[in-house]
Amino acid sequence: MKKAKEAVISQAPLIHCITNPISINDCANVVLALGAKPIMAEHPKEVHEITALAKALAVNLGNITDARAESIFISGGVAKNAQIPCVIDVVGAACSALRMELAQRFIRECAPCVIKGNLSEIKALAGQKLQKTGQLVCSYAKKAHAVAMASGAVDIISDGSQVWFVKNGVAELSKVTGTGCMLNVITATYLSVTDPLTACLLSAGTLGICGELADKSRGMGTYHIELINQLSTLSDAQLEQYLQIQRAL
């Protein structure tokens, strides 16, 4: 993980993020804080060129529009053909037929290497609610031929054979709009320099640790800014000291 963190800083990869306007500024700042370069292009007439230049692609179904929906498929196709690593955040797949349809189509046609959502969204995609959560995420990852990341109080990550729990993070993260979107672009940033499983473990651990270290004593506005501060200053020693991951399978 240390090598991936250092590689982002030394290489400053371009990360193409097609995300929603609610979180676009924070997502750009988070990518910058890690040492990479964000580009937030989403017009259907230019995303083909932008994705082709990028080292990783992050797409997000939050606050979806017709133009953004068109763009994610154009970019996803470019990424697949050029073997550019891609992560999709299936925001709202559990509560909207439109988003479920878009998520399933994108996964089928564009073959992202990471599928990220909260646990209810991953459960909805899997279509199975009776299994234990770790087994469900694992079986879905295997079926989708991707790493599945179910974010929550404990993040559950699987590549279809291994299951990992990341136990960092605090309740305050859920009180800041867009932290799930931030996790998506952090994942894309690390995907640009390492394998999908490592990228997911590192991204979940990084955001969780920074959420723990951020000062929450003066309220959520300060906490929001402090979260980005921590992302820009997190040291290798802090990552090693605070990271709490457990392999379940």
Side-chain angles (χ1 to χ4, degrees), residues 34-120:
L34 298 177
K37 296 181 293 187
I39 186 164
M40 320 306 280
E42 62 175 48
H43 197 288
K45 291 185 178 180
E46 72 168 353
V47 292
H48 184 286
E49 299 167 83
I50 301 298
T51 301
L53 296 172
K55 297 298 182 182
L57 171 67
V59 302
N60 181 309
L61 297 182
N63 197 244
I64 198 70
T65 64
D66 289 344
R68 199 175 299 119
E70 181 181 355
S71 291
I72 67 172
F73 286 101
I74 295 170
S75 289
V78 171
K80 179 182 178 181
N81 292 335
Q83 296 185 316
I84 296 167
C86 171
V87 52
I88 182 173
D89 192 343
V90 293
V91 180
C95 60
S96 162
L98 170 64
R99 297 192 203 191
M100 174 60 75
E101 179 184 352
L102 291 173
Q104 291 176 332
R105 180 185 160 200
F106 188 90
I107 292 164
R108 182 175 64 252
E109 295 181 5
C110 302
C113 55
V114 174
I115 301 165
K116 179 262 171 195
N118 62 35
L119 186 56
S120 65

Side-chain angles (χ1 to χ4, degrees), residues 88-158:
I88 182 173
D89 192 343
V90 293
V91 180
C95 60
S96 162
L98 170 64
R99 297 192 203 191
M100 174 60 75
E101 179 184 352
L102 291 173
Q104 291 176 332
R105 180 185 160 200
F106 188 90
I107 292 164
R108 182 175 64 252
E109 295 181 5
C110 302
C113 55
V114 174
I115 301 165
K116 179 262 171 195
N118 62 35
L119 186 56
S120 65
E121 290 159 353
I122 297 298
K123 282 182 175 180
L125 280 174
Q128 172 59 264
K129 298 181 180 180
L130 299 179
Q131 292 174 290
K132 293 182 178 179
T133 53
Q135 293 174 338
L136 183 146
V137 175
C138 184
S139 62
Y140 178 67
K142 185 175 182 179
K143 177 183 176 181
H145 304 289
V147 173
M149 176 162 56
S151 60
V154 174
D155 300 308
I156 307 170
I157 298 166
S158 177

